[in-house]
């Protein structure tokens, strides 16, 4: 008789583990616990097409709700797990109920990082991680003229583009000296700075924040310069933190993420983890990494399912990411951290180019702007010694 498998987290990774288990022949009891009321859904469109109203909630579903019934996957929505008893192999739910498990998968994702500033709890100060968050943002956005966005990363700039397209006055406030500094080069940052400025967005770089102003509702953001940026909506987009507290409280090894090996196994042989909440050692990059991407969620989930099915697996991916801002698509292959040289190919005037990142003469990452061919090729040739003909023209 096959052991019960319980998956905590009904996002991209959790849903993929369940699907891959059934596709791989697992016939035992399979439960998928999520703390939201919705079927498992994709998150990247939240800050783009869903926020803009171009697609409805049904357009986000990873699978039709009937898929889970047909495949005998017990999806349990609106349910939060508050404790893991590893000795008894039993979960405690927020309502006091308990649930046994044979094998457990943690696919708990991330939480938006919050600000510890005066006024950060005012109405109109929001984060964006879920359908519910976007519904709140939409409602406030309809009544607002001025939007302030704290953080010039993917989410911040994507929401800035949508808000501007809806006719709002938008200010993006960033403590670093350029947008997306953590993940792209100066050339790519400069391009996106110019793109947003040309659309009428005010970028306040190298700028700190003193407080959020207003009464019950926000009216503005007071900057370190002493100025106040007017805003009826303030989006806090300063990154995400792994949901690893449940694992830590259960005594599993964590370090800014749940520590797992190449098959997704934690420090407990009966507990696995997948997706944004995990940290693992990459032989490819010779360091420990935690990745927040759809690619990682899907591929690591498949690896965990293989391991649960008794197959040999050693997960060490080439990561890739993307961001849509206006009609511009940024696609990133690989991790550029540690690069010592770059190659620029294409034209910013034509909005079509790529930047190749090298370390010791080898290609380690490529940022492609409206250049899908170079992105797809990069995913095949990263790791090769650089030659001028290694990638196609942008």
């Amino acid at each position: 008789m096959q052991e019960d498998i319980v998956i905590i987290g009904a996002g991209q990774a959790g849903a993929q583990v369940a699907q891959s288990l059934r596709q791989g022949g697992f016939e035992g009891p399979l439960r998928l616990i999520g703390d939201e009321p919705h079927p498992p859904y994709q998150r990247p469109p939240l800050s783009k097409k869903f926020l803009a109203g171009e697609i409805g909630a049904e357009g986000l579903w990873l699978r039709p709700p009937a898929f889970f019934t047909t495949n005998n996957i017990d999806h349990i929505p609106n349910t939060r797990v508050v404790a893991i008893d590893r000795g008894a192999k039993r979960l405690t739910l927020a309502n006091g109920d308990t649930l046994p498990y044979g094998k457990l998968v943690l696919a708990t994702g991330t939480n938006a990082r919050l600000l510890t500033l005066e006024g950060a709890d005012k109405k109109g100060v929001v984060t964006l991680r879920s359908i519910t968050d976007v519904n709140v943002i939409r409602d406030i956005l309809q009544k607002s003229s001025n939007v302030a966005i704290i953080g010039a990363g993917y989410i911040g700039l994507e929401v800035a583009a949508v808000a501007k397209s809806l006719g709002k006055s938008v200010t993006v406030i960033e403590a670093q000296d350029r947008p997306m500094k953590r993940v792209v080069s100066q050339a790519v940052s400069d391009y996106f700075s110019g793109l947003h400025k040309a659309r009428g967005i005010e970028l306040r770089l190298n700028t700190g924040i003193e407080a959020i102003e207003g009464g019950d509702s926000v009216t503005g953001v007071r900057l370190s310069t002493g100025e106040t940026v007017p805003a009826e909506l303030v989006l806090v987009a300063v990154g995400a933190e792994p949901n690893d507290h449940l694992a830590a409280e259960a005594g599993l090894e964590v370090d800014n993420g749940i520590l797992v090996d190449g098959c997704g196994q934690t420090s407990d042989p009966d507990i696995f983890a997948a997706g944004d909440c995990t940290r693992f050692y990459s032989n490819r990059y010779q360091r420990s990494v935690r990745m927040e991407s759809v690619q990682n969620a899907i591929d690591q989930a498949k690896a965990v399912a293989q391991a649960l099915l008794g197959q040999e697996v050693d997960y060490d991916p080439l990561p890739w990411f993307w961001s849509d801002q206006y009609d511009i698509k940024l696609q990133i292959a690989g991790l550029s951290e540690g690069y010592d040289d770059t190659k620029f190919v294409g034209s910013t005037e034509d909005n079509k180019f790529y930047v190749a990142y090298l370390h010791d003469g080898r290609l380690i990452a490529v940022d492609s702007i409206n250049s899908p061919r170079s992105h797809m090729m990069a995913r095949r040739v990263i790791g090769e010694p650089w030659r001028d003909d290694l990638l196609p023209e942008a």
Side-chain angles (χ1 to χ4, degrees), residues 331-350:
Q331 294 171 288
I332 298 176
L335 300 177
S336 61
E337 182 181 342
Y339 71 91
D340 54 27
D341 192 14
T342 61
K343 305 292 183 182
F344 184 98
V345 178
S347 165
T348 56
E349 291 77 15
D350 295 335

Side-chain angles (χ1 to χ4, degrees), residues 156-236:
L157 295 179
E158 288 168 1
V159 173
V162 172
K164 193 63 187 178
S165 72
L166 295 174
K168 310 302 177 180
S169 175
V170 181
T171 302
V172 177
I173 305 157
E174 171 57 55
Q176 299 288 337
D177 59 353
R178 56 187 177 88
M180 299 186 290
K181 183 173 183 176
R182 187 173 63 88
V183 293
V184 301
S185 66
Q186 182 76 51
V188 177
S189 288
D190 289 348
Y191 172 79
F192 279 95
S193 290
L195 176 71
H196 286 280
K197 289 177 181 177
R199 302 292 179 115
I201 287 176
E202 183 177 359
L203 281 177
R204 303 297 299 267
L205 304 175
N206 273 326
T207 303
I209 297 169
E210 294 294 327
I212 308 295
E213 297 185 341
D216 291 338
S217 297
V218 62
T219 59
V221 179
R222 188 166 77 243
L223 307 180
S224 55
T225 60
E227 306 165 75
T228 295
V229 173
E232 300 83 44
L233 174 66
V234 176
L235 173 69
V236 178

Side-chain angles (χ1 to χ4, degrees), residues 264-313:
Q265 190 176 78
T266 70
S267 52
D268 184 321
D270 290 322
I271 302 178
F272 293 72
D276 294 3
C277 65
T278 67
R279 176 173 292 278
F280 59 93
Y281 186 81
S282 168
N283 286 313
R284 179 190 297 272
Y285 290 102
Q286 292 292 296
R287 65 178 184 269
S288 174
V289 296
R290 187 175 73 80
M291 299 179 190
E292 297 174 19
S293 72
V294 171
Q295 167 271 320
N296 179 61
I298 292 173
D299 292 347
Q300 192 175 35
K302 291 178 179 178
V304 164
Q306 287 178 281
L308 287 167
L309 292 166
Q311 301 170 23
E312 292 290 328
V313 61

Side-chain angles (χ1 to χ4, degrees), residues 4-171:
D4 294 24
I5 297 179
V6 177
I7 303 164
I8 303 176
Q12 190 96 47
Q16 185 65 57
V17 172
Q19 177 182 331
S20 294
L21 283 169
R22 286 298 190 230
Q23 289 174 336
F26 178 74
E27 297 178 348
L30 182 56
R31 295 181 176 89
L32 178 64
I33 304 174
D35 60 4
E36 295 188 60
H38 316 286
Y41 63 90
Q42 51 184 324
R43 295 187 189 273
L46 290 176
S47 56
K48 301 178 276 286
K49 290 186 176 182
F50 185 64
L51 177 60
E54 296 175 18
I55 60 173
E58 295 79 5
L60 299 173
W61 303 156
L62 290 168
R63 293 290 183 270
F67 170 87
F68 300 96
T69 303
T70 301
N71 287 276
N72 199 23
I73 298 168
D74 185 11
H75 173 229
I76 308 172
N78 257 342
T79 300
R80 189 164 60 89
V81 178
V82 296
I84 302 169
D85 183 339
R86 291 166 52 198
K89 298 182 75 171
R90 184 169 291 273
L91 308 176
T92 300
L93 310 182
N95 64 5
D97 291 347
T98 62
L99 186 69
Y101 68 86
K103 298 291 186 183
L104 181 65
V105 179
L106 303 177
T108 47
T110 60
N111 279 325
R113 186 173 288 116
L114 303 177
L115 293 178
T116 55
L117 280 177
E118 177 189 343
D121 58 348
K122 294 184 184 299
K123 183 179 179 182
V125 180
V126 298
T127 57
L128 195 163
R129 299 298 292 175
S130 69
I131 288 175
T132 299
D133 291 340
V134 176
N135 288 335
V136 170
I137 291 169
R138 275 186 187 156
D139 183 58
I140 301 171
L141 197 56
Q142 288 176 353
K143 308 167 189 173
S144 302
S145 299
N146 302 292
V147 177
I149 296 172
I150 301 172
Y154 296 146
I155 298 293
L157 295 179
E158 288 168 1
V159 173
V162 172
K164 193 63 187 178
S165 72
L166 295 174
K168 310 302 177 180
S169 175
V170 181
T171 302

